[in-house]
Amino acid sequence: MTPFKNRITELFGIDYPIIQAGMIWASGWRLASAVSNAGGLGIIGSGSMYPDVLKEHIQKCRSATLRPFGINVPLLYPDIDKHIQIIIEEGVKIVFTSAGNPKTWTKILKEKGITVVHVVSSSKFAHKAEEAGCDAVVAEGFEAGGHNGREETTTMVLIPAVVKAVRIPVIAAGGIATGKQMLAAMVMGAEGVQMGSRFVASEEASSHSNFKNRVINTQEGDTVLTMKQLTPVRLIKNEFFRQVQEAEWKGAGVEELKTLLGRARAKKGMFEGNIDEGELEIGQVSALLDRILPAREIVKNVWDEFCGALSNPVKKI
Ligand SMILES: Cc1cc2nc3c(=O)[nH]c(=O)nc-3n(C[C@H](O)[C@H](O)[C@H](O)COP(=O)(O)O)c2cc1C
């Protein structure tokens, strides 16, 4: 596989502009180091980790790869100060922030020489991230798994809009799992892709095998963006979702929804494998997935397909 150079590969020091998304209950050191060793950028998802667990994952990741890797930090995490402190102490070089105001931490991280990327769901937020000093943005469309924007802007519309709105490089996310989809995003001006759902269905993801198997058996229409009152999230329509839906139909407010979610539903579903009662975050693109693969093979397949499509992009008669 011939390495490729653009602003994103240069920013992170990677061979291919393929980024494995930071994901709660899925992306620990095993997945992140496997993706980084394959020439992409692996990211540890700190959102489901206590500070000491995060520290352990950073150290294990560093022992498993000599290549760059990053940490995803959801900015609303209650112990965020401790996470940031560990990231700085451990000498992590790349941080992807999400779900919060990029102004709060970007300057502090940048002063420590850390490359900062922020995840956005609109041009307005992309502009704010650029103003806050971020080095790049991830533009995440409506199709994406996990927490998402309220405005429902699809990747197809969001990418060109964000590319137009900012000068910093844009990484496309939401609904991307193949090389052809990657090429489409890059034709629209993205300089890299971030894939979440594709990497949940990997051997190295720490998610429960029940969840991974549910993901590769998902059909079109099986996921939905819900809980907009609280914090919008795309998940599989299972028994837990039906409970949320019923509560919403009965006019449940934020507090009631919090109580429903409060019983560690995400952990129960994605990590402990209770696919009925747990919250199963995944993107629409899960409908295209039918195999759990090693992370290295995912990176290789996507890159090979991207290169093939690049040399022969459209069908002609
Ligand atoms: C299981 C799961 C957990 C996720 N957890 C996080 C998270 O902790 N922080 C975050 O910024 N995004 C999270 N996301 C969103 C991903 O980072 C990524 O942007 C998204 O999955 C891209 O869309 P795709 O699923 O269509 O590839 C999660 C996504 C999934 C599927």
Side-chain angles (χ1 to χ4, degrees):
M1 298 208 292
T2 324
F4 175 91
K5 266 193 198 307
N6 68 5
R7 286 198 293 175
I8 285 297
T9 60
E10 295 290 291
L11 183 65
F12 302 131
I14 54 177
D15 292 341
Y16 317 108
I18 297 174
I19 294 148
Q20 163 256 306
M23 295 178 286
I24 55 164
W25 305 116
S27 65
W29 69 271
R30 271 197 193 85
L31 178 57
S33 59
V35 172
S36 291
N37 282 332
L41 183 71
I43 300 187
I44 296 173
S46 74
S48 49
M49 295 178 180
Y50 289 117
D52 54 332
V53 176
L54 172 62
K55 189 171 180 166
E56 191 186 320
H57 277 259
I58 293 171
Q59 291 173 351
K60 286 188 170 163
C61 197
R62 194 173 295 116
S63 320
T65 184
L66 294 171
R67 291 178 171 255
F69 65 91
I71 312 292
N72 167 248
V73 182
L75 294 170
L76 298 175
Y77 185 83
D79 258 340
I80 176 115
D81 303 53
K82 287 190 190 145
H83 274 188
I84 300 277
Q85 194 187 336
I86 286 168
I87 284 167
I88 292 170
E89 277 169 15
E90 289 295 320
V92 170
K93 293 278 171 264
I94 302 168
V95 168
F96 278 44
T97 55
S98 56
N101 186 347
K103 268 196 183 154
T104 326
W105 291 101
T106 304
K107 194 162 174 275
I108 294 162
L109 293 167
K110 295 283 307 167
E111 277 166 9
K112 300 288 175 190
I114 298 172
T115 297
V116 183
V117 179
H118 189 62
V119 182
V120 301
S121 58
S122 71
S123 306
K124 189 177 86 187
F125 291 144
H127 189 61
K128 284 192 173 167
E130 184 170 53
E131 271 182 355
C134 293
D135 298 284
V137 285
V138 173
E140 191 196 59
F142 173 65
E143 300 91 323
H147 293 282
N148 207 320
R150 280 197 167 73
E151 291 169 356
E152 303 195 353
T153 309
T154 60
T155 302
M156 199 77 172
V157 172
L158 184 67
I159 302 310
V162 172
V163 166
K164 199 170 159 194
V166 295
R167 285 191 299 266
I168 51 176
V170 176
I171 298 162
I176 301 168
T178 70
K180 286 182 182 171
Q181 291 172 313
M182 177 176 177
L183 179 62
M186 291 181 67
V187 168
M188 291 191 289
E191 291 175 62
V193 292
Q194 169 169 290
M195 301 190 299
S197 298
R198 175 58 275 190
F199 283 108
V200 169
S202 70
E203 285 177 3
E204 293 87 348
S206 56
S207 326
H208 197 282
S209 57
N210 291 353
F211 176 44
K212 294 185 192 180
N213 285 320
R214 180 70 185 87
V215 167
I216 58 169
N217 286 298
T218 298
Q219 309 295 316
E220 284 171 49
D222 281 356
T223 74
V224 64
L225 186 71
T226 184
M227 283 195 282
K228 284 190 164 183
Q229 283 188 68
L230 202 56
T231 156
V233 60
R234 179 172 297 282
L235 42 67
I236 291 176
K237 297 178 195 165
N238 64 353
E239 177 51 33
F240 165 67
F241 164 68
R242 275 179 274 281
Q243 289 169 18
V244 170
Q245 199 178 32
E246 207 179 299
E248 285 183 332
W249 281 339
K250 287 183 183 157
V254 171
E255 287 313 313
E256 202 176 321
L257 290 176
K258 269 190 192 160
T259 315
L260 246 183
L261 241 187
R263 289 175 243 140
R265 295 290 192 145
K267 183 179 185 190
K268 190 182 245 180
M270 297 188 280
F271 196 65
E272 294 169 356
N274 188 335
I275 57 169
D276 297 320
E277 291 291 329
E279 183 193 344
L280 307 177
E281 298 182 11
I282 208 72
Q284 288 186 346
V285 80
S286 54
L288 304 183
L289 307 177
D290 55 13
R291 285 172 72 197
I292 296 164
L293 294 171
R296 172 172 290 279
E297 217 170 303
I298 295 174
V299 174
K300 184 178 177 342
N301 291 350
V302 170
W303 188 247
D304 284 350
E305 192 182 289
F306 171 84
C307 293
L310 185 59
S311 60
N312 191 14
V314 289
K315 278 190 187 158
K316 296 176 202 132
I317 297 171

